[in-house]
Amino acid sequence: MFGGNQFWWVGLMMMAIFISMNIIVFALRNHPRISYRVAYFIAFYLLLNKVAEYIAYQALGEHLRLPVEFSALSYFAFAIFVVFRFGKADSFPAFCAVLTGLIFTISFWVSPDSFILDMDHPFLFINSVLNHHLVYLGGMLMLANARKYSWKQCWQPVLGVGIFVGYSWLFHSLSAYSSIYGKPIIIQICDASILAWLFKDMQISPGVYVAYYLLVVALLVGLFVGFYALNRWGVRYRSRRGIDEDGYCLHWKEVFCAKKSQKIEEK
């Protein structure tokens, strides 16, 4: 996975961080309210962080520096839907948060050199690594530990991802964003140009493109199925142990005031 990369050890570090995020999720599986609080404060931090970042870009005169990347859109969707508690539609931002983290970390494992050598500034790189892992952690806590999503809501992430991709394509096609800041990664994934970025010394044949698109479709379908399957497992696990099924039942004040999770007495 890291073979041939000068900075393979950074990719290994990213893998260790990713594994740590999942260990945290697993460790909090019996605490839906704590999980929800952690996800909420991650969302609150991301909202402040990204609003400040894009205000700074505008102040510096970079007026086209807007949320166009899938990850940037996911930050805002997750932050807004969780902070303002749009409970009937938060399966969509939770899915986007998990997908954003997965795309980032898997890409980093495959080609850490591409990230390190193309780094604009160490601060921006560290901020990106931090935000990608935090949004993944927040999404996983909501998915596995804190919320109950229905299969009937599956149209929400499907529609949401479609809107994100369509918006990015419009911005890429109708503005000078890509010529200034580079083609958005979501566009590179859609048109398969990401292969040339990840495998710079590899000769890409038509068969590779066919295999790539089949893999992308399979992964996306698998992620949709896995998203709801993992959520269902978490709900059943908590129900068997007599734990509150949904951390979202927290009152506004309880989000900010730590209280012990209420448990249903086991029969």
Side-chain angles (χ1 to χ4, degrees), residues 67-70 73 161-178 183-193 213:
V68 177
E69 290 281 9
F70 188 90
L73 296 172
V161 170
I163 290 173
F164 277 11
V165 173
Y167 164 80
S168 296
W169 267 105
L170 282 174
F171 219 90
H172 165 67
S173 303
L174 302 178
S175 76
Y177 179 92
S178 295
K183 187 188 295 185
I185 293 177
I186 187 60
I187 305 300
Q188 296 182 47
I189 291 174
C190 291
D191 66 9
S193 59
Y213 281 115

Side-chain angles (χ1 to χ4, degrees), residues 96-114:
C96 289
V98 173
L99 182 60
T100 292
L102 283 174
I103 291 174
F104 176 83
T105 194
I106 291 173
S107 298
F108 214 116
W109 301 346
V110 172
S111 184
D113 283 6
S114 298

